Each structure stands twice: as structure tokens, then as C-alpha cells.
Amino acid sequence: MLKILFSGDDIARTRVAPAPDPLWELALSLHLLQGRGRYPLMAGWQRTVSQRLRREVGLDQLRLLFALNRPRGYFPDFLTPIEGLHGLDAGLEAVRATPVSALHRDLTVLAGETALPSWAGALARGDGETLDQLVDSMRRYESIAIGPYRSHIRAAVEADRNRRARALLDGGAEGLLASLRPQLRWESGVLEVRDYPRQRELHLGGRGLLLVPSFFCGRTPVALFDEALPPVLVYPVDRLGGLTGPGTADGRATPDRRALAALLGRTRAAVLEVTDAGCTTGELARRLRISPAAASQHTTVLRNAGLLVSQRERNTVLHTLTPLGRAMLNR
């Protein structure tokens, strides 16, 4: 179990990342890619990405990257620097500029859990050519495994952020932390990750906590190993049906034409408009003066068409627009 201990200052300084972190998504997608059979909704993505990597890159070129990102257990902190919040390029430059002391520390920890190949020594010494090879393989992998699906990943994270924003407005920072169940439990100033693979306590010490919603995160939230680094907790979001469905050329899911045809009419257009800022089924029914059953039927059609996402929170269901839904609303 991981216990994260908060002071009053820590609660006030806790925030949610503004967008998917490309380096966390990169690392965690590597774990998921190698963990076959555990996530059926991602089987299509695993198959497509594996085939493209073999065909377009070659697994020999990615051996270094896969060795650092095992499907289970520790993986190096330097692969997910805080600069990733500013985008892929900024994050990769931070990886390239990792201090030798951090490289040596992280690879020493990794070597304690698994046998490392011969190149690990050069990387631990900060060899420039080895770092360049690592960064190049990260960029090439990202272009195949994440780039084509970026809009779907952003939609899932945006939907989760809308949910957290509502929890923050309704219950303050403690309401935000409490909304993270069932993966996490908030009680009396302690945030618990019960399925964490080792017993550990993390004292925030007034620094606050950065919550990073992640599409590729598995069932268990992830924290950095080095407690001296800015505290980060990466947690999974609803994957909106996974990445198994048919897609367009850029990998985005294509809404079913019959579902889109069912959207014609004033009531569903009004549902889209009301849902723009997020609302529950009950709120939707009250605002449009329709029955809860009718509101639920309309949101089901919109959800099946890929225009909104619905997330249950205790006895209510919160509906928020996807980027496609917002684009249709603004046409």
C-alpha cells in the first residue's frame, strides 16, 4: 500500500495536470503493450502497434526502450520528467539532459530488480550517443503507438478533468481527492493506493501533489520512486471504450452513421448544449423539462455516437462532451 500524507498546505497546493503527459503516456503504454491479455478493450491497439513497430522500426531499434520499461515493477524516474507537462519535445529534451547522478541512481535501482544488458553501463555514465539513441527510439515509438490516437486520449483525459473540476467546485480540494475512488481512498489527510506493489509512505512536506490523469495507466496509480522529485501521482481514466474500434486515418474513432442520424431533432441538440459544461442526468431532465428516462435515452444515443462520455459517481451519472461533441455544437 502507498500512503500519501498531506498537510493543510499540501491540500491547497494539489492540482490536476492540464492535459495528458506525453512521457507518462509513452512509458505506461509500453507496459500495457507488453502485458497481453489483461486489457481486452486494448487488444486491437496492441496488435496494430506491435505490427507497425516490427514493420516500420524493427524491434532491435527499440530494445533499449523496452528494457527500461518492463511490464511490471520499477521503471526509471528519469523517463518521465516534470517537463513533459510542456509537451513531447520539452520532455524529450529533459530526458536527454538528465544529470549523470540521476541516470546512475535510477539504473542502479533497476539493476537491483532485473539483469541489464551491456549498454546500461554507458547510459549510467551519461554517454551522449546512448542518450541520443534512447530519445530517438522514444520519439519513433510515440509516433506509432500514441500519435495516431492522440485525439481519443485527449478526449478521455478531458472528460476526467471535467469530472474532477466538478468535484472541486462541489467539495473543494478534499472533494477532489475523495472523487478519486475506487482506485484511491481519501481519509483524514491520507490518500491511500491500496493495490500498490510495495509498502511505502510519501510525505509531501508542503509541496502539494500533481495528479496526472492517464489513458494508458493500468488499474493501479503510479508514483515516482525518488521522493526528492516533485510529487506526482498518475491515475487511470475511463478509456471511452478503448482503442479497438474502426478509425479514421489519424486513428480517431469513427462514429456510427446510424447513431449520428438519430441525433436529428431539437431535443438532442439541446442536450448537447446543456451538457457542454457537464451535468448529471437529473440536472439535464430538470433543465430541459423532460423525464429522467427520456434524458437517459438521449444521452445514450449521444454517447453511442461518440459525442459525450458518461461517468458514474455514486448515485449520479455525469455527462460531458467529447471534442467531437463540442465541434458539432459549435458548427
Side-chain angles (χ1 to χ4, degrees), residues 112-173:
E113 296 193 3
T114 186
L116 296 179
S118 58
W119 50 257
L123 185 60
R125 294 190 299 271
D127 177 71
E129 183 176 349
T130 306
L131 276 167
D132 286 343
Q133 291 174 358
L134 173 61
V135 169
D136 179 64
S137 66
M138 292 173 74
R139 188 180 295 278
R140 296 178 74 182
Y141 172 85
E142 195 277 343
S143 70
I144 290 173
I146 298 174
Y149 310 95
R150 195 170 288 123
S151 63
H152 191 88
I153 294 168
R154 286 175 179 166
V157 170
E158 182 179 342
D160 185 86
R161 276 177 48 81
N162 287 338
R163 180 184 179 188
R164 305 308 163 196
R166 186 181 183 92
L168 180 65
L169 289 172
D170 290 347

Side-chain angles (χ1 to χ4, degrees), residues 232-244:
V232 169
L233 186 68
V234 183
Y235 67 91
V237 303
D238 186 330
R239 294 191 176 119
L240 309 188
L243 297 175
T244 58

Side-chain angles (χ1 to χ4, degrees), residues 284-319:
L284 183 63
R286 288 192 297 272
R287 293 179 190 180
L288 297 184
R289 298 182 180 179
I290 58 178
S291 69
S296 180
Q297 181 183 26
H298 290 309
T299 56
T300 297
V301 173
L302 291 164
R303 183 171 59 253
N304 290 340
L307 302 181
L308 61 77
V309 58
S310 303
Q311 295 173 312
R312 179 167 293 279
E313 179 68 23
R314 291 189 177 179
N315 296 325
T316 63
V317 177
L318 178 67
H319 310 286

Side-chain angles (χ1 to χ4, degrees), residues 167-313:
L168 180 65
L169 289 172
D170 290 347
E174 295 206 38
L176 165 64
L177 292 166
S179 76
L180 295 168
R181 59 182 177 271
Q183 292 95 345
L184 299 106
R185 179 186 176 189
W186 169 254
E187 186 174 355
S188 303
V190 179
L191 189 63
E192 296 180 348
V193 184
R194 297 197 166 184
D195 293 334
Y196 207 70
R198 57 173 61 93
Q199 291 293 323
R200 180 183 171 195
E201 285 191 357
L202 172 59
H203 295 261
L204 298 178
R207 296 172 294 173
L209 181 67
L210 175 65
L211 296 165
V212 180
S214 168
F215 185 88
F216 285 105
C217 184
R219 297 182 180 91
T220 303
V222 182
L224 292 170
F225 182 83
D226 186 354
E227 295 187 11
L229 293 171
V232 169
L233 186 68
V234 183
Y235 67 91
V237 303
D238 186 330
R239 294 191 176 119
L240 309 188
L243 297 175
T244 58
T248 59
D250 67 352
R252 291 177 294 181
T254 304
D256 185 87
R257 290 182 179 274
R258 290 171 296 178
L260 286 176
L263 294 175
L264 297 176
R266 293 183 179 180
T267 301
R268 288 195 180 121
V271 170
L272 274 183
E273 185 173 358
V274 170
T275 311
D276 188 27
C279 69
T280 66
T281 304
E283 291 170 342
L284 183 63
R286 288 192 297 272
R287 293 179 190 180
L288 297 184
R289 298 182 180 179
I290 58 178
S291 69
S296 180
Q297 181 183 26
H298 290 309
T299 56
T300 297
V301 173
L302 291 164
R303 183 171 59 253
N304 290 340
L307 302 181
L308 61 77
V309 58
S310 303
Q311 295 173 312
R312 179 167 293 279
E313 179 68 23

Side-chain angles (χ1 to χ4, degrees), residues 69-105:
N69 289 276
R70 301 174 303 140
R72 293 182 182 85
Y74 171 81
F75 66 99
D77 287 342
F78 79 85
L79 295 173
T80 55
I82 196 68
E83 288 84 357
L85 289 173
H86 304 299
L88 179 64
D89 290 340
L92 291 179
E93 283 307 308
V95 171
R96 194 191 306 272
T98 303
V100 174
S101 59
L103 292 170
H104 184 269
R105 176 200 64 214

